[in-house]
Amino acid sequence: MNDDNPTPERPAALRWPILVVRYAAVGFGSALAAILGVAALTVVEGFWARGKLLRTRSVTPTGASGPFGEQYDGQPLHLVLMGDSLAVGYGSDTDDQTVGVVLAKRLAEVAKRPVRLDNVAEVGAESTDLLAQLIAVGRMPSAPDVVVIIVGGNDAMHLKPLADALHPLRATIGELRRMGARVVVGTCPDLGTVRSFFEPLRFFAHWLSRLLATSQTIVALRAGARTVSLADSLGPLFRRDPTSMFSAMDRLHPSGLGYVNAAEVLFPSVRAAAGYPAKDGPLVPYRVYDKTSSHPLAWLAFRASRRAGVRLRHAKDVAPPAA
């Protein structure tokens, strides 16, 4: 049968662009579907991880407090810990393997003075909770000499906006400085080291915690505090030996050994802030920021968050003379 109206063939010059557009549309659709699938999987894993975190709030231990180095004479140094479960020591089997107790004992040894430790940190705390903890510090009989703040993990896990995480930190540091305290901030740890998180959640947790740590560094320096990058100082160790570094309780919080290593990372900055920098051995590699620096503060902060052991202090944060 003859077709009175045959469909004309498209010229070759038109067929190729149409095929390119068609394949591009298919590729774009496949890529979009993959992205949406990854996003959905990440959200599901995020809710699972958040539920795991919320279960820790059913038990809310307080961090160990008390006098240390009572065999020494002199006016006690007042050390205060603020922040979240890492500052509390949640997951450790004993108080002797918590950040606060290790720091207090080590500080008493190098200062040859008694140390009074007060820990107002709370399990599950976010940066906004620092303001309530600051009120507790203000009610103490004596102002603190050195304050260690460890916070940020819960802000990253709960996807808090950066402003909500940074404004309370800046306000807290500012008020502590007005009290006369020296402040050391342990920035957000690398959540990508948590093995119980699956990919792609682990990847996003890594970069989200890195972004928060860098932002915390900028804010802390501007407010007059020192910072220690916990992500790079401890991240490789936790990746290399997760069985020992994470608590068997939930494989999410550090073990006692993990907390001892965290305290060792923080201690050089704490002793320097207290006025007792090491006179021998390796120097604490501080990076100092002031307005005359040839590099912007954001550049220094990013460099510090990327290099293990690098610590930063504000140019005006000169430790008081040893008593």
Side-chain angles (χ1 to χ4, degrees), residues 49-185:
R50 184 172 183 177
K52 191 171 184 177
L53 276 176
L54 288 175
R55 287 197 293 272
T56 66
R57 295 191 179 216
S58 60
V59 180
T60 54
T62 56
S65 298
F68 295 87
E70 295 176 286
Q71 68 272 26
Y72 300 113
D73 297 324
Q75 181 70 22
L77 283 166
H78 191 188
L79 174 65
V80 173
L81 257 71
M82 303 175 65
D84 56 25
S85 56
L86 299 187
V88 171
Y90 184 81
S92 177
D93 294 327
T94 173
D95 288 343
D96 288 337
Q97 290 185 312
T98 59
V99 171
V101 172
V102 173
L103 289 178
K105 289 182 175 180
R106 291 287 307 277
L107 188 56
E109 289 174 3
V110 300
K112 304 302 181 185
R113 291 171 59 184
V115 173
R116 169 67 194 181
L117 171 65
D118 283 302
N119 195 326
V120 297
E122 300 173 284
V123 174
E126 300 172 356
S127 295
T128 52
D129 296 309
L130 291 175
L131 300 177
Q133 295 176 21
L134 182 62
I135 295 175
V137 174
R139 291 173 178 170
M140 292 177 181
S142 63
D145 295 302
V146 180
V147 178
V148 177
I149 301 175
I150 307 175
V151 76
N154 291 310
D155 295 276
M157 283 298 303
H158 298 162
L159 301 179
K160 293 293 183 179
L162 274 179
D164 291 350
L166 300 178
H167 288 168
L169 179 62
R170 180 174 56 189
T172 299
I173 295 172
E175 184 58 32
L176 290 171
R177 294 289 284 149
R178 282 188 285 273
M179 293 180 187
R182 305 292 168 177
V183 183
V184 177
V185 178

Side-chain angles (χ1 to χ4, degrees), residues 224-236:
R226 300 169 181 245
T227 67
V228 178
S229 175
L230 296 181
D232 281 297
S233 298
L234 296 175

Side-chain angles (χ1 to χ4, degrees), residues 7-42:
T7 302
E9 290 189 8
R10 293 187 179 92
L14 292 179
R15 287 201 301 271
W16 281 109
I18 292 174
L19 288 174
V20 169
V21 171
R22 182 178 300 170
Y23 286 126
V26 172
F28 176 78
S30 300
L32 181 60
I35 292 172
L36 291 176
V38 168
L41 179 59
T42 303

